[in-house]
Amino acid sequence: MTDNLPSPGRNLAPRFEFIEWRLFWEGHLNRSDLEERFGISTPQASVDLRNYREVAGDNIEYNATEKRFVATSGMKPRFLRVSANRLLLQLRALVNGVVKRDDVPFSQLPSVDVVPEIVRDVRAAVLQKILTAIRLRKAVSIYYRSLTSTRWRDIAPHALAFDGHRWHARAYCCERNEFRDFVLTRIERLGELKLAQFNPENDLAWQNKIELLLCPHPGLSKAQSEAVQCDYDMRDGIRRIEMRLSLAYYFIKRLNLDIDILEPARAQICLENLSEVEAAIVTAREKSKKLCAEA
């Protein structure tokens, strides 16, 4: 909302936002849309539209032929934060069953589908116990299935992280005396909370960030490179992405940025400062281990 506009009030704010959502994304709106969305009467919907037109009349007009309100050609939303990414995420969540139909305010949904995701369901009991341990700054015993063994471990989680595919607990491993990632779906059972001596500030791979410099693969043609730059919203051939060192590791692996044998058209992008990022990850881990040993 712009600073020079009067506040619509707690009740009107979501209605004004909805009005602009429908106008911006679908181009039209009826009184009945407000009635159904907010459970209000026809007279109240008429009042809402009148109030909106008083403060943003240059965004809306009535089309007598279509018998509905439509967006003007120069519409500029004042109460809606327009975000294509947010809308697409909502549609993706809808298709995946994460949100309900009413959470996406389309009067008529566009035809949409997504590539099926491999669902990794985190059990609520696991997440609840991990969150409790984080909040109380305690350790918790977990029966954990890794690629090499399945056994009880004591970990002291201090954060949650998503690597693009799986959720992890970022935690101090009481056995190894270092900070590691533990996949939440691999936790089969949980024990009691315990006291633990650890300092999250010593987790340097989590605390420190680095800027990754994505660029088109040098083996691409000029036209291919320009297409990739558009795809990744690069500026002057570079897309700068800042992230935690612990997550940079997964980002590099997920996008195969550490594999140099892929065909240029298959790889499409590369990491200009790969060696710098990998060195920073190693350094952070080593310094973190030293701090844990000294604690």
Side-chain angles (χ1 to χ4, degrees):
M1 187 184 306
T2 55
D3 295 335
N4 60 344
L5 286 175
S7 172
R10 182 175 299 178
N11 293 327
L12 272 180
R15 298 179 199 171
F16 280 9
E17 182 180 18
F18 174 76
I19 288 171
E20 292 195 336
W21 197 101
R22 280 288 177 85
L23 291 175
F24 186 85
W25 291 114
E26 293 193 299
H28 57 80
L29 175 82
N30 287 322
R31 278 191 298 268
S32 59
D33 295 327
L34 284 164
E35 296 168 29
E36 294 171 5
R37 182 74 177 181
F38 298 99
I40 58 178
S41 64
T42 299
Q44 182 60 59
S46 297
V47 170
D48 289 350
L49 284 166
R50 184 174 68 246
N51 288 336
Y52 177 76
R53 297 178 77 179
E54 288 177 357
V55 296
D58 51 345
N59 284 341
I60 187 173
E61 60 188 11
Y62 186 75
N63 188 308
T65 302
E66 298 180 11
K67 295 183 179 180
R68 59 186 179 183
F69 292 95
V70 297
T72 61
S73 59
M75 180 193 176
K76 294 181 179 180
R78 301 182 182 183
F79 303 95
L80 171 70
R81 183 176 65 85
V82 176
S83 171
N85 287 336
R86 180 184 180 189
L87 177 56
L88 293 174
L89 283 173
Q90 287 179 310
L91 289 175
R92 178 182 173 187
L94 176 67
V95 174
N96 286 324
V98 178
V99 300
K100 298 179 181 179
R101 171 65 180 86
D102 291 343
D103 293 324
V104 183
F106 277 104
S107 60
Q108 184 175 357
L109 279 174
S111 180
V112 59
D113 208 344
V114 299
V115 175
E117 295 184 7
I118 299 177
V119 179
R120 295 176 170 90
D121 289 328
V122 177
R123 291 188 293 123
V126 169
L127 182 58
Q128 181 189 44
K129 200 66 170 281
I130 294 297
L131 288 173
T132 300
I134 292 174
R135 185 174 66 254
L136 299 180
R137 197 167 170 175
K138 288 188 175 182
V140 60
S141 294
I142 61 172
Y143 192 67
Y144 190 75
R145 184 180 295 276
S146 70
L147 296 180
T148 56
S149 66
T150 302
R151 55 190 173 83
W152 285 98
R153 304 167 183 241
D154 287 348
I155 67 170
H158 68 84
L160 298 175
F162 184 65
D163 67 9
H165 296 292
R166 304 173 300 180
W167 278 98
H168 302 254
R170 185 69 183 176
Y172 172 72
C173 178
C174 301
E175 175 186 321
R176 294 180 177 270
N177 196 29
E178 65 182 14
F179 290 95
R180 302 168 68 93
D181 293 320
F182 294 87
V183 183
L184 295 183
T185 51
R186 292 184 181 177
I187 300 176
E188 297 188 355
R189 283 177 279 168
L190 299 110
E192 298 300 316
L193 295 176
K194 304 178 179 181
L195 294 176
Q197 295 295 327
F198 74 102
N199 186 354
E201 295 298 319
N202 291 339
D203 187 359
L204 300 183
W206 176 265
Q207 301 295 344
N208 294 335
K209 295 183 177 181
I210 193 168
E211 189 174 64
L212 277 64
L213 305 179
L214 290 182
C215 60
H217 193 285
L220 295 176
S221 67
K222 184 175 183 297
Q224 290 173 326
S225 177
E226 291 174 348
V228 169
Q229 290 181 54
C230 290
D231 196 23
Y232 287 87
D233 193 24
M234 295 180 180
R235 297 289 184 270
D236 298 322
I238 293 288
R239 175 65 188 270
R240 300 173 182 273
I241 305 176
E242 185 182 63
M243 66 184 70
R244 299 180 190 274
L245 286 169
S246 60
L247 293 180
Y249 169 82
Y250 296 109
F251 185 84
I252 290 170
K253 298 298 180 185
R254 181 158 59 91
L255 295 182
N256 297 318
L257 296 173
D258 57 341
I259 300 177
D260 56 7
I261 61 173
L262 294 177
E263 293 292 325
R266 174 71 182 274
Q268 296 192 9
I269 58 175
C270 65
L271 189 57
E272 186 175 278
N273 60 335
L274 175 61
S275 58
E276 175 194 351
V277 175
E278 290 180 330
I281 293 173
V282 172
T283 299
R285 287 175 177 171
E286 291 177 348
K287 288 184 177 180
S288 184
K289 287 182 181 179
K290 184 176 179 180
L291 289 172
C292 289
E294 296 172 349

